[in-house]
Amino acid sequence: MRRFIEARMRKRLRLAFLVLAVLFAALLAKLFHVQVIRNAELTEKAMENWDRELPFAGKRGEILDRNGNRIIGNRIAPTLYFMPSQNRDIAAAAKTLAPLIDADPKKLEEQMSKRASIIKLAPEGKNIPYETAVRIGKMGIPGLYTGVDYVRDYPYGQMLSRLVGFTGYDNQGLAGIEFAYDGKLTGKGEKVRLFTDAKGNPLPHVGDGWVEGGGGADVELTIDVRIQEIVERELEQAMLKYDAAQALSIVMDPDTGEILALASSPNFDPAEYASVDPSIFNRNLPVWMTFEPGSTFKIITLAAALEEGKVNLEEDHFHDPGYALVEGARLRCWKREGHGSQSFLEVVENSCNPGFIELGQRVGKEKLMQYIHDFGFGQTTGSGIAGEASGILFSEEAFGPVEHATTSFGQGISVTPIQQVQAVAAAVNGGRIMKPYVVRRVLDPETGRPIEENTPEEKRRVISEETSKKVRESLESVVANGSGRNAFVDGLRVAGKTGTAQKVEDGRYKEGDYIVSFIGFAPADDPDVLVYVAVDSPKNEVQFGGTISAPIVGRILGDIASVREIGPRKGQLEREYRWGDPIQIRVPDLTGKTYDEIRQMLYTVKLEWHGKQGGTVVRQLPEPGVLMEESGTLHLYAEPEQKD
Amino acid sequence: MHALEKKLLILFASAAAALSLLGVAFVHSAGSYWGEVHYEDSLPFALKQGVYLAVSLAAAAFVLRFRGIGNKTFWNTVYILSIILLVGVLIPGIGAVRNGSQSWIALGPFSLQPAEFTKIAVIGKLASMLGEQRGRKVFKLSHLAVILLPAGLIMLQPDFGSMMIMTVSAFCVLLIAGYPLKFFFGLGAAGAAGITALIAAAPYRLDRIKAFLDPWSDPLGSGFQGIQSLLAVGPAGLLGYGYGQSRQKYLYLPEPQNDFIFSIIAEEIGFIGSAAVILLFFVLTAAAFGLAARQRDPFSLQMVSGMAAMLGFQTFLNIGVVTGLLPVTGVTLPFISYGGSSLLAAWIAAALILRFGAGGGKG
């Protein structure tokens, strides 16, 4: 009996031990499974678990002007993140935080209670002011972190807004350069990888890692902000003065095709794009708008006629009765009574329509059409500016004698401002069509070295050097003697051409509604800049390019001259005096002269003497050689009075 | 004394000592950061564990010398005492609640976990009862009552882990004693039903089962501990990060010096090291079973095998939880986990194995 019990107990003991051995074997197997077989999977999960990654928004590339001035930069605007597992009293945290970021406490608490390791407190906690972030940081709310984030900063405010565009909620480019270069501008985004304990305290023995990202590339434009400022100021003033619908301007270097300024008025605030009418921010007027060029187009007809040797401007004469008859159609000159008998140079100066019909006819239908195409009309310029239009020309079949005639003086076709600038630049730069462009370089944000570079691109030659020279000279005389007189700037040798185009609506001309334009360049002997200005629907003034746009271009060129250091030029055509023009005199050098001597020389000018009575002049304003109006004041500075 | 027996005794004692020293070392590694953060003013865990170890060894020495150890009335007294403590722990003012369970009795700066000692008391009591067994028929309702009364009391705390260890090792004693196998099949069915009932009674246990099946379904809630443990064990690979290099101990894994200390061991010394620790536990248990098999006296055999089963099963339960083999249950790892009660209980069990294994139990 006892033996039986003993034997049974030992048997059972072996059974129990066997079971235990199996259990231990299972432990080893499971341990192997977890540590070896699932090693990679669990390592990845553990990495996520340990990482307290604070997204560190990639700095978007900046948009710079040609001299490195920041047109669009970035402003630090932190974003709040919350780790719910690190806060025991989320309700209290939400209550404290809500008023600081203008959030609803209830909703915020809901958001903060989400089951996630890290929550972005958007939208209220996104891009908060830096000062607010600092204040919140000092409160030490457990589990609340401030991630570095940026928003766009506009040091020049609304300047260039239609060209550069804007970015959206997540800093993504939505319009303009911001959109076109979004891929390059976008930063890759960095992350601060914090090795912390589960509460977020940094661990002493593991250094914080950085997940390297990198900022986006900078985009350097061909724009010169100094010129852009001048142009935008002038457009704004014109908008006010003439109560215009809109206005636009292009400034280009005619030798390279670089756009130095590109302006549309009105502008908009890129930071508040959501409240702006899309028809404003989607339309970059200098490339988007198409309209009849009017007389500025005559430059093309002129260039073609000169190149083809069909006219001698000084020798050939033309009689303008005030109209031309083409196939029974009576095409009027803008001057009702006609310009009478004139040389072809005077035809250009007067912008005489029948004269240009004659020139167009001399060139011939096909040839003229060919020139128009060669000058780049009818197709986009390839400037790369978003929303560029190609304009409308007559098709070959529709191009009859009447169309041929009207096209010769810029009517019946539709072109964009940038096409006109491209064409006129070629007409005056020696005959080369240069592709206009606005982006000069794309720069690596770290090294500042260019990743991408645009260089001047000559598309083709359209006219010869000599023809171009003749075009320049005749356009200088337009400013000195003709319809462009209001663009005259003394010493700068401004040349140019007016344009007045009646607006077309539903295929019909709108009575009394014009786009008045002027295209000018300086200096006429070696053009450095080309300025185009168009004002849409000006009121309060005779609607002519010569009266509205020419003076704007004159002022712009005058101011650009000091920016680009275009010195006084010799050999300018003196402006012809016309009745009603203020009488101007060229101020002589008065240094060393006494008041009485000067009074005798310049008896019509008002003199103002500064300094010692009875002394001699050491300085004068205006300076010697400058034109001043006879009714103006001449300031004379004597050496200062001696103090006894 | 037989030479093999002596070798087994030495093997067992060395394994227990090695595990205890390993315990102090890993309590230091796993618990120092947690301790700094949560118990700033307290002494370091490792230092306290050293003190507990000294106290445990003193208690073990006492057990090895105590004369009345083979006395049936002594085990009766111990059993009754443990029942009183189990009742006492439920009385507010005496029992203290930690982590949702009222399992501790505070004694000045120390606290005692009666369930740890109940396991020993129940096995000792059963062994002494079965030692008198003479007939072929062993089944007695009183055996079941001896088990079920403390089991019920422990579940009132509630402490599912301790209850499981106590019950399983007690039934192991009954199995070895010769209870019919049919009984255990029936018991298995009843156990399954019982577990179902327990789950129904406390929904958090269902969450734990769900968390066990798919810990990532609720990573911050019921799956949290299981996941954090796997994230310690899994990435360590074959070799681990090296001693002291755990990352999960930095507050990711709660109370890393305690029930989940094996996670940190596995993390720091990898599969090779932690498998060695498991083997050390196996050596400990196997030596104890070897000693049991050598006992001629049923009381000693039951005592040694019961304690061995208890230590072995507790080890299995703990490491099973840590590796995700079993649902999360709060059980300490014998000799290694931080805590006075756990260490003391383990060493009392070890001393009983040594005493009875050396044939000194009936003296």
Side-chain angles (χ1 to χ4, degrees):
Chain A
M1 188 68 201
R2 195 186 154 87
R3 290 190 81 88
F4 167 74
I5 294 171
E6 256 187 47
R8 190 174 63 183
M9 285 213 298
R10 288 187 208 297
K11 233 171 100 183
R12 291 290 178 87
L13 199 61
R14 278 199 291 278
L15 177 65
F17 182 67
L18 193 71
V19 170
L20 208 66
V22 168
L23 295 183
F24 270 66
L27 284 185
L28 283 176
K30 180 65 181 174
L31 192 66
F32 185 80
H33 177 240
V34 172
Q35 293 206 283
V36 180
I37 295 170
R38 291 180 67 192
N39 177 265
E41 171 215 336
L42 288 169
T43 302
E44 196 178 307
K45 285 192 163 128
M47 280 306 204
E48 280 170 30
N49 188 46
W50 296 324
D51 280 357
R52 294 291 180 239
E53 275 185 355
L54 286 184
F56 199 97
K59 209 172 194 172
R60 195 172 168 82
E62 297 182 334
I63 298 181
L64 311 167
D65 90 335
R66 63 187 299 114
N67 300 312
N69 293 307
R70 192 180 295 121
I71 299 168
I72 300 186
N74 299 290
R75 186 157 46 79
I76 195 158
T79 292
L80 297 177
Y81 295 87
F82 184 68
M83 297 189 197
S85 57
Q86 296 179 18
N87 197 308
R88 283 174 195 280
D89 193 356
I90 292 176
K95 216 170 164 187
T96 321
L97 186 59
L100 291 166
I101 58 173
D102 290 326
D104 179 55
K106 269 257 149 18
K107 278 189 188 158
L108 189 64
E109 188 190 333
E110 225 168 86
Q111 191 179 22
M112 288 165 75
S113 307
K114 269 194 272 177
R115 287 220 155 163
S117 65
I118 184 160
I119 300 161
K120 186 181 193 173
L121 297 181
E124 290 91 352
K126 189 179 188 299
N127 299 137
I128 59 173
Y130 180 70
E131 296 71 31
T132 312
V134 170
R135 264 177 67 203
I136 291 172
K138 280 188 185 147
M139 295 165 74
I141 299 171
L144 189 69
Y145 294 88
T146 310
V148 175
D149 209 348
Y150 297 95
V151 291
R152 278 311 212 189
D153 184 38
Y154 302 95
Y156 289 95
Q158 304 194 0
M159 194 177 86
L160 270 171
S161 54
R162 294 210 209 191
L163 173 65
V164 293
F166 50 85
T167 58
Y169 180 74
D170 289 317
N171 229 2
Q172 77 281 30
L174 290 182
I177 298 285
E178 292 271 30
F179 176 72
Y181 282 80
D182 195 39
K184 301 227 165 56
L185 288 165
T186 303
K188 284 205 192 72
E190 292 163 337
K191 281 173 185 163
V192 186
R193 178 175 274 189
L194 306 163
F195 286 113
T196 66
D197 67 21
K199 301 209 159 174
N201 305 308
L203 292 183
H205 70 297
V206 203
D208 286 355
W210 276 84
V211 179
E212 284 292 341
D218 295 333
V219 171
E220 187 184 270
L221 303 179
T222 58
I223 301 290
D224 185 325
V225 288
R226 296 169 299 177
I227 297 175
Q228 183 74 22
E229 273 179 327
I230 294 164
V231 167
E232 292 199 2
R233 178 198 72 210
E234 287 297 330
L235 290 190
E236 214 166 291
Q237 282 177 6
M239 290 283 286
L240 283 174
K241 187 170 175 192
Y242 302 113
D243 190 20
Q246 48 194 4
L248 65 94
S249 175
I250 303 173
V251 178
M252 190 170 111
D253 180 336
D255 290 325
T256 62
E258 287 171 295
I259 305 285
L260 302 174
L262 192 78
S264 307
S265 202
N267 266 327
F268 65 94
D269 182 355
E272 300 290 336
Y273 70 92
S275 58
V276 177
D277 187 339
S279 72
I280 303 268
F281 62 63
N282 277 340
R283 294 176 185 173
N284 197 3
L285 297 180
V287 300
W288 174 85
M289 219 177 162
T290 62
F291 50 89
E292 259 190 3
S295 307
T296 47
F297 197 75
K298 289 170 183 166
I299 299 171
I300 309 307
T301 312
L302 171 68
L306 286 169
E307 180 73 6
E308 293 296 315
K310 302 291 187 193
V311 66
N312 184 318
L313 294 177
E314 281 84 16
E315 306 291 309
D316 296 1
H317 278 70
F318 178 77
H319 179 80
D320 169 29
Y323 59 88
L325 279 171
V326 181
E327 294 226 315
R330 207 179 157 93
L331 301 174
R332 284 251 192 79
C333 186
W334 61 272
K335 192 173 179 185
R336 206 165 264 268
E337 65 277 21
H339 291 97
S341 184
Q342 48 191 338
S343 73
F344 269 98
L345 185 61
E346 285 167 321
V347 164
V348 178
E349 285 172 8
N350 296 331
S351 193
C352 170
N353 289 353
F356 275 94
I357 292 171
E358 170 69 19
L359 286 178
Q361 282 166 345
R362 288 191 189 179
V363 172
K365 208 171 76 169
E366 274 82 43
K367 270 270 159 61
L368 184 64
M369 200 48 153
Q370 188 56 49
Y371 273 100
I372 290 170
H373 280 291
D374 286 350
F375 269 104
F377 294 100
Q379 72 238 21
T380 60
T381 63
S383 65
I385 303 168
E388 194 182 334
S390 53
I392 305 160
L393 301 180
F394 288 112
S395 67
E396 226 170 290
E397 308 82 64
F399 200 58
V402 177
E403 290 76 18
H404 178 195
T406 60
T407 301
S408 304
F409 60 90
Q411 281 185 16
I413 56 168
S414 179
V415 303
T416 61
I418 195 144
Q419 284 172 341
Q420 298 186 59
V421 167
Q422 175 186 243
V424 173
V428 304
N429 72 5
R432 296 164 295 121
I433 293 273
M434 301 304 296
K435 181 166 129 183
Y437 63 102
V438 285
V439 174
R440 202 185 191 198
R441 295 189 297 182
V442 177
L443 303 169
D444 184 295
E446 304 294 318
T447 61
R449 286 211 199 96
I451 304 168
E452 211 181 280
E453 202 161 359
N454 289 327
T455 46
E457 186 186 327
E458 182 184 327
K459 291 183 186 171
R460 60 190 160 268
R461 173 171 283 282
V462 278
I463 54 170
S464 69
E465 193 73 59
E466 303 87 88
T467 306
S468 178
K469 185 163 182 280
K470 284 181 195 155
V471 171
R472 290 199 296 267
E473 285 165 358
S474 53
L475 293 178
E476 189 183 8
S477 79
V478 168
V479 171
N481 310 319
S483 51
R485 306 174 73 253
N486 290 326
F488 184 84
V489 180
D490 183 43
L492 205 54
R493 298 196 63 176
V494 176
K497 184 79 194 76
T498 57
T500 307
Q502 216 167 342
K503 280 171 82 174
V504 176
E505 203 176 69
D506 304 328
R508 303 188 58 166
Y509 285 112
K510 262 176 94 181
E511 202 53 51
D513 198 358
Y514 297 90
I515 296 174
V516 297
S517 60
F518 189 86
I519 191 158
F521 57 94
D525 53 330
D526 180 17
D528 183 77
V529 278
L530 180 74
V531 178
Y532 177 86
V533 167
V535 180
D536 184 3
S537 298
K539 291 152 198 97
N540 317 334
E541 182 88 13
V542 187
Q543 295 193 6
F544 281 122
T547 53
I548 296 172
S549 298
I552 299 174
V553 171
R555 279 195 296 275
I556 290 173
L557 279 171
D559 285 353
I560 290 175
S562 58
V563 170
R564 293 189 49 105
E565 288 166 3
I566 307 169
R569 304 298 281 207
K570 295 221 164 71
Q572 77 170 351
L573 286 178
E574 291 296 337
R575 188 152 83 149
E576 188 184 61
Y577 176 74
R578 281 199 198 165
W579 189 84
D581 280 355
I583 297 168
Q584 294 183 317
I585 54 161
R586 203 167 281 285
V587 183
D589 190 351
L590 301 169
T591 317
K593 299 213 160 37
T594 64
Y595 181 85
D596 293 332
E597 286 171 329
I598 296 163
R599 185 79 280 172
Q600 299 234 316
M601 290 167 64
L602 302 163
Y603 41 87
T604 55
V605 178
K606 196 177 155 207
L607 296 179
E608 214 159 276
W609 189 266
H610 306 268
K612 192 174 148 193
Q613 295 297 323
T616 54
V617 173
V618 289
R619 207 156 74 78
Q620 65 184 79
L621 267 182
E623 289 182 15
V626 171
L627 275 181
M628 72 173 287
E629 288 182 14
E630 208 183 28
S631 56
T633 306
L634 180 60
H635 295 268
L636 299 163
Y637 299 85
E639 59 277 338
E641 282 183 89
Q642 300 293 319
K643 292 218 174 100
D644 309 302
Chain B
M1 197 190 285
H2 203 274
L4 180 61
E5 226 159 280
K6 203 170 175 185
K7 275 184 187 161
L8 286 173
L9 283 169
I10 291 169
L11 192 62
F12 178 83
S14 323
L19 288 170
S20 294
L21 293 176
L22 214 58
V24 176
F26 276 99
V27 162
H28 172 68
S29 170
S32 45
Y33 194 76
W34 183 273
E36 272 171 40
V37 173
H38 291 268
Y39 307 99
E40 240 177 294
D41 303 325
S42 183
L43 289 170
F45 288 138
L47 198 66
K48 284 165 97 177
Q49 183 79 346
V51 173
Y52 296 151
L53 183 58
V55 171
S56 301
L57 289 174
F62 174 75
V63 169
L64 286 175
R65 280 185 177 72
F66 179 60
R67 281 190 169 273
I69 202 86
N71 199 326
K72 200 189 168 195
T73 47
F74 169 74
W75 286 104
N76 251 335
T77 317
V78 168
Y79 180 75
I80 289 164
L81 203 67
S82 70
I83 296 294
I84 290 170
L85 285 174
L86 285 181
V87 173
V89 83
L90 295 173
I91 299 168
I94 299 174
V97 179
R98 274 192 212 163
N99 301 328
S101 294
Q102 191 159 355
S103 307
W104 278 268
I105 291 177
L107 298 168
F110 301 101
S111 51
L112 199 75
Q113 202 178 354
E116 288 283 354
F117 304 101
T118 309
K119 297 181 288 193
I120 293 166
V122 169
I123 291 165
K125 163 94 176 142
L126 277 178
S128 72
M129 284 169 86
L130 289 160
E132 294 183 336
Q133 189 66 35
R134 288 296 175 263
R136 189 181 269 253
K137 193 168 173 292
V138 289
F139 182 80
K140 265 190 192 167
L141 270 179
S142 62
H143 294 157
L144 298 185
V146 162
I147 300 168
L148 293 180
L149 174 65
L153 286 170
I154 293 173
M155 281 321 291
L156 288 176
Q157 298 179 0
D159 182 353
F160 184 76
S162 294
M163 188 277 284
M164 279 298 284
I165 294 162
M166 191 209 74
T167 316
V168 169
S169 41
F171 278 111
C172 189
V173 171
L174 295 185
L175 174 78
I176 292 163
Y179 263 52
L181 289 175
K182 272 187 289 181
F183 171 79
F184 291 97
F185 294 128
L187 198 72
I195 288 172
T196 314
L198 283 174
I199 289 167
Y204 78 87
R205 292 197 189 102
L206 184 65
D207 287 345
R208 284 197 178 170
I209 303 290
K210 272 196 218 155
F212 164 63
L213 293 174
D214 180 15
W216 270 275
S217 67
D218 186 9
L220 291 173
S222 51
F224 185 73
Q225 284 178 307
I227 287 179
Q228 294 304 328
S229 177
L230 286 183
L231 294 186
V233 177
L238 278 177
L239 297 172
Y241 305 142
Y243 178 75
Q245 302 300 308
S246 157
R247 285 187 180 163
Q248 285 293 90
K249 69 185 179 186
Y250 290 100
L251 314 188
Y252 291 96
L253 185 64
E255 305 267 1
Q257 74 283 6
N258 223 314
D259 297 352
F260 282 93
I261 194 164
F262 193 79
S263 309
I264 307 300
I265 294 175
E267 190 181 12
E268 294 193 345
I269 60 179
F271 176 73
I272 291 171
S274 48
V277 175
I278 292 177
L279 285 177
L280 196 52
F281 272 109
F282 185 70
V283 166
L284 179 97
T285 321
F289 269 94
L291 286 169
R294 251 142 253 288
Q295 300 311 310
R296 311 218 59 189
D297 154 47
F299 182 19
S300 298
L301 188 147
Q302 300 289 8
M303 183 65 90
V304 173
S305 59
M307 293 300 160
M310 184 191 88
L311 292 174
F313 184 69
Q314 189 170 340
T315 303
F316 170 72
L317 206 56
N318 179 281
I319 299 178
V321 166
V322 162
T323 54
L325 186 66
L326 298 172
V328 172
T329 313
V331 182
T332 56
L333 186 59
F335 301 106
I336 292 187
S337 282
Y338 171 74
S341 296
S342 169
L343 192 60
L344 187 57
W347 271 104
I348 289 171
L352 288 169
I353 288 169
L354 289 172
R355 176 91 186 259
F356 283 84
K362 287 291 264 178

